[in-house]
Amino acid sequence: MERMPVTGMVRTYSADRLVTDSAAAATALACGIKTNNGRIGTAPDGTPWISILEKANAKGFRTGLVATSSISHATPAGFAAHVESRDMQVEIAAQLLERRVGILFGGGRKFWVPTPRGERKDNRNLIEEALGAGYQVVLNREQLSRLSDGPVVGLFADDRMTTFAPEPMLDEMTRVAIGLLSKKGDWFAPKPRFFVMIEGSQIDWAAHANATDNTIRQTLLFDLAVKEALEFAERDKTTLVIVTADHETGGLLIKADKREPVAEW
């Protein structure tokens, strides 16, 4: 990501707190408004606001969301859902499908299927609904590698992903997602223009835990996904790549100790 030529600043503090959470921050990034912590795609008074992903859909773009959390977690949800609480992942999963997001890759399978296998108490099986709506559904790395067309729902874990094999890595999901979204075809849009949000979700949790090694590992895994996006953009010549965080966690400092870098929290 340090190859990128322009550096900017984004302010994602929420409407009710100086320190934001991922829900309000994702809503700021996706919808351009300040909202209260915990809210997804809605103003503090509950008014839903259209997101950049929904705007892209309306303009005839294909769209995608990729994450190593559950795909219904706060950050991906902020781009395609409108609920009062980030904890409403059962409702968020249904809205992701209703919004016709063409590529959905991540964890969170339990929010798509009814009890006792999953978390849904409305007896809806969103996997079956996705298949009925023309989606392919893939559940592992091998199935992901065989994809040749969209739309696709990829659910690679019951909740958050492990970010270890045999699951697909974030750069693999990124490469497949961009490849499908940019491929000529008849699904969801006549021209292969697209918007996709790709999140290295677990940098956040590693930093919350002050886990230095895992914070570095998760950042490097994300950086490999950035590489995939930048290499596509260099070939394509018309794609904008933005790399940002929704917020910081943990208070990581890098200090010099006898000229060697030392991480402190």
Side-chain angles (χ1 to χ4, degrees):
M1 65 185 79
E2 291 181 358
R3 295 168 47 202
M4 299 181 73
V6 178
T7 301
M9 207 67 151
V10 60
R11 297 185 297 177
T12 58
Y13 60 86
S14 55
D16 63 340
R17 301 282 179 86
L18 181 62
V19 178
T20 192
D21 79 329
S22 291
T27 300
L29 294 173
C31 303
I33 61 164
K34 300 293 187 188
T35 195
N36 295 348
N37 280 0
R39 283 194 168 274
I40 295 286
T42 61
D45 65 0
T47 303
W49 281 70
I50 192 169
S51 72
I52 187 172
L53 182 146
E54 292 170 298
K55 194 74 169 178
N57 266 347
K59 291 282 188 180
F61 283 59
R62 294 175 184 158
T63 57
L65 295 169
V66 179
T68 56
S69 62
S70 65
I71 198 58
S72 50
H73 207 261
T75 300
F79 285 79
H82 305 279
V83 293
E84 64 183 28
S85 172
R86 59 184 290 171
D87 296 329
M88 299 168 65
Q89 291 202 59
V90 166
E91 292 83 354
I92 290 166
Q95 289 190 24
L96 296 181
L97 196 56
E98 290 162 8
R99 299 285 182 273
R100 289 174 62 81
V101 182
I103 300 293
L104 292 166
F105 289 162
R109 189 165 49 234
K110 68 180 183 179
F111 302 110
W112 289 65
V113 295
T115 56
R117 288 175 49 223
E119 297 282 327
R120 303 196 67 85
K121 297 178 181 179
D122 57 6
N123 208 36
R124 290 178 66 182
N125 187 321
L126 297 185
I127 291 178
E128 291 182 357
E129 290 184 25
L131 290 168
Y135 283 80
Q136 299 172 78
V137 176
V138 296
L139 303 176
N140 58 52
R141 191 181 210 167
E142 183 181 355
Q143 292 172 343
L144 178 75
S145 69
R146 294 201 301 262
L147 290 171
S148 60
D149 207 357
V152 189
V153 175
L155 300 169
F156 304 109
D158 277 341
D159 198 342
R160 67 174 66 181
M161 296 179 69
T162 67
T163 72
F164 286 96
E167 290 176 353
M169 296 293 101
L170 183 60
D171 61 322
E172 294 175 81
M173 294 193 291
T174 298
R175 182 166 58 251
V176 173
I178 291 175
L180 296 176
L181 289 165
S182 63
K183 184 180 178 181
K184 291 182 179 179
D186 296 330
W187 64 278
F188 282 16
K191 295 181 181 178
R193 303 178 300 172
F194 68 92
F195 170 88
V196 60
M197 193 289 300
I198 298 161
E199 183 190 33
S201 316
Q202 299 190 34
I203 302 169
D204 178 309
W205 303 330
H208 270 302
N210 295 177
T212 303
D213 288 353
N214 195 31
T215 300
I216 293 168
R217 178 178 181 270
Q218 295 297 333
T219 302
L220 291 173
L221 291 176
F222 175 68
D223 202 46
L224 292 174
V226 173
K227 179 175 183 286
E228 294 290 338
L230 291 179
E231 289 183 351
F232 171 81
E234 288 167 355
R235 295 191 304 270
D236 180 66
K237 308 297 185 187
T238 63
T239 297
L240 172 66
V241 180
I242 298 172
V243 178
T244 186
D246 56 352
H247 59 77
E248 195 274 340
T249 58
L252 176 61
L253 303 173
I254 306 297
K255 291 187 174 182
D257 181 9
K258 298 179 181 179
R259 297 189 178 182
E260 292 297 317
V262 175
E264 291 188 3
W265 297 92

